[in-house]
Amino acid sequence: MRISEVHIYHHDLPVKNGPYTMSHGPVWSLETTLVRLVTDQGVEGWGEVCPIGPLYAPVQASGVRALLNDIGAGLVGVDLTVNAVSAAIDAQVEGGTYARSAIDIAVHDALGRSLGVSVATLLGGAYQTRLPSYYATGIGTPEDIAKLALDKVNEGYPRIQIKAGGRDVAEDIATLRKVYETVGHRARILVDPNRGMSGNDALRLSRECQDIPFVLEQPCNTIEEIARIRPLMNHPIHIDESMVDLNTVLRLVGDGLVDGFGMKISRLGGLRPASTFRDIAAVRRLAHSCEDSWGGDIVNAACVHMGATVRPHMLEGVWLAQPYIDGHYDPNGGVRIEGGHITLPEGPGLGVTPDPNVFGVPAASFGG
Ligand SMILES: [Mg+2]
């Protein structure tokens, strides 16, 4: 079975009750990009990629679109297998993991649909069908964040991520302390400065909150800064933004520089490399989340299928942008968080079938 058509769609995702605020600033609306593959047997597959604004990582939605426009034509006529499609992209460009991710997700969706199995089955099989999620609060005052955290714990979230960084660390310390006073041990707490904290501030946070059990995710901009402070910390450190490819994962794991990961599918290049990461992390018993930077039902379904194949005791949670997005692509229901948990979509492929009318006419089409 070969790919006969490739369609690219652009779509805006306004942040519900926005903005969503991280250490480098607020985001009000995200530009997502969707890929629809059609095969010569009429099977379709959907992929999606959505960088969370231009400042989160050195990748922008406009760049993703440009790259997909460059490589789309080269996918027409290629066998619908992960390896054949990867080779077809390798023959055209170096890198481009975010664009590759949307294509890789679409290939898995189409393959699953053609074989009558779920994407989770293609990735090794689901360990569980109801997965824990976690809630990311954004940056705010101690009182506001503690109230939000309590609301989310009462909804059933087992893990709360407090955004931090980009301000006086005393405010982050006060916020963490207020959240811990409010929710106690009812949820696991993670603090995420998104690279926006100095090493010295991260050390102060850890030292002044020795009594609070929390994980610190990607406090500083570079692996070198994190490697310097980690032996001096009282708390585990997870790497997110610095985990830019599998070579970096091998270094972080092999050199023992990390206690866990925030794993984003598109940063690694799709479900195939994400499953390789999953297996490397499992060898050293390093827990990790399973998520992507942002996105609608397609990204969310991909995250849940991937997360279902992570051994449950290794899974820190599946984060979705769904609580920040109005509506769904699939008119019969998409992926949603209920009671702080997510049910694995049923049906072949991703188990989500978007209504193409949601996205309007394709921005680019190849083949057909
Ligand atoms: Mg993070």
Side-chain angles (χ1 to χ4, degrees):
M1 182 165 42
R2 292 179 183 275
I3 296 170
S4 58
E5 299 173 34
V6 179
H7 303 280
I8 315 289
Y9 301 84
H10 302 167
H11 185 62
D12 285 335
L13 293 173
V15 178
K16 185 163 75 175
N17 302 321
Y20 183 77
T21 306
M22 293 171 286
S23 59
H24 44 70
V27 290
W28 293 91
S29 184
L30 287 311
E31 306 162 32
T32 195
T33 303
L34 292 108
V35 173
R36 178 167 67 100
L37 302 179
V38 184
T39 73
D40 55 7
Q41 295 181 19
V43 178
E44 293 196 358
W46 284 87
E48 181 181 15
V49 61
C50 185
I52 177 169
L55 297 176
Y56 172 74
V59 60
Q60 287 76 35
S62 55
V64 169
R65 292 170 183 175
L67 190 52
L68 285 169
N69 286 340
D70 285 346
I71 62 181
L75 302 178
V76 175
V78 174
D79 267 339
L80 185 77
T81 69
V82 172
N83 287 345
V85 171
S86 293
I89 300 173
D90 288 344
Q92 298 186 73
V93 294
E94 172 67 20
T97 50
Y98 278 68
R100 286 172 185 258
S101 183
I103 295 168
D104 178 84
I105 292 169
V107 169
H108 278 86
D109 186 31
L111 274 173
R113 289 173 186 273
S114 71
L115 296 169
V117 300
S118 73
V119 166
T121 298
L122 293 178
L123 296 172
Y127 288 108
Q128 54 184 345
T129 57
R130 185 172 184 265
L131 286 82
S133 185
Y134 69 92
Y135 194 86
T137 64
I139 288 177
T141 65
E143 292 71 25
D144 287 350
I145 298 302
K147 180 179 183 311
L148 180 59
L150 181 62
D151 287 347
K152 295 304 170 184
V153 171
N154 285 340
E155 278 182 33
Y157 280 90
R159 188 185 197 235
I160 297 293
Q161 183 192 85
I162 308 167
K163 291 297 187 190
R167 62 179 183 178
D168 187 335
V169 70
E171 295 178 80
D172 293 325
I173 291 169
T175 302
L176 171 59
R177 192 155 287 289
K178 187 73 177 176
V179 169
Y180 183 58
E181 285 171 10
T182 307
V183 305
H185 293 278
R186 293 180 60 203
R188 304 192 318 283
I189 298 174
L190 181 141
V191 177
D192 186 2
N194 290 105
R195 305 183 287 120
M197 198 173 263
S198 69
N200 288 345
D201 279 351
L203 285 173
R204 182 177 160 194
L205 174 73
S206 182
R207 285 173 179 161
E208 293 193 14
C209 299
Q210 285 192 48
D211 56 313
I212 302 176
F214 71 95
V215 169
L216 187 58
E217 181 168 288
Q218 192 76 43
C220 310
N221 190 32
T222 64
I223 292 171
E224 287 71 21
E225 291 165 275
I226 292 169
R228 178 182 78 81
I229 63 170
R230 184 163 166 266
L232 307 171
M233 294 277 296
N234 299 302
H235 296 88
I237 293 190
H238 288 193
I239 294 278
D240 184 347
E241 286 93 326
S242 288
M243 191 187 105
V244 293
D245 56 25
L246 289 175
N247 263 317
T248 307
V249 170
L250 286 177
R251 176 189 164 206
L252 291 166
V253 173
D255 291 351
L257 297 174
V258 68
D259 301 297
F261 293 94
M263 192 279 283
K264 294 199 165 48
I265 291 170
S266 60
R267 200 165 50 222
L268 291 173
L271 293 166
R272 165 59 74 86
S275 63
T276 303
F277 160 80
R278 171 201 64 195
D279 297 341
I280 293 169
V283 171
R284 292 292 168 89
R285 304 288 191 270
L286 293 171
H288 58 91
S289 65
C290 190
E291 60 203 34
D292 213 338
S293 52
W294 203 264
D297 279 327
I298 302 300
V299 159
N300 292 341
C303 292
V304 183
H305 281 275
M306 183 79 241
T309 71
V310 179
R311 287 181 186 275
H313 67 284
M314 304 288 295
L315 181 65
E316 287 280 341
V318 176
W319 181 86
L320 306 180
Q322 180 261 319
Y324 301 97
I325 295 171
D326 267 325
H328 290 275
Y329 304 157
D330 186 334
N332 296 316
V335 182
R336 49 173 50 86
I337 301 171
E338 289 169 327
H341 292 71
I342 314 158
T343 300
L344 183 67
E346 294 183 351
L350 292 171
V352 169
T353 305
D355 174 2
N357 295 320
V358 170
F359 313 120
V361 296
S365 292
F366 307 94

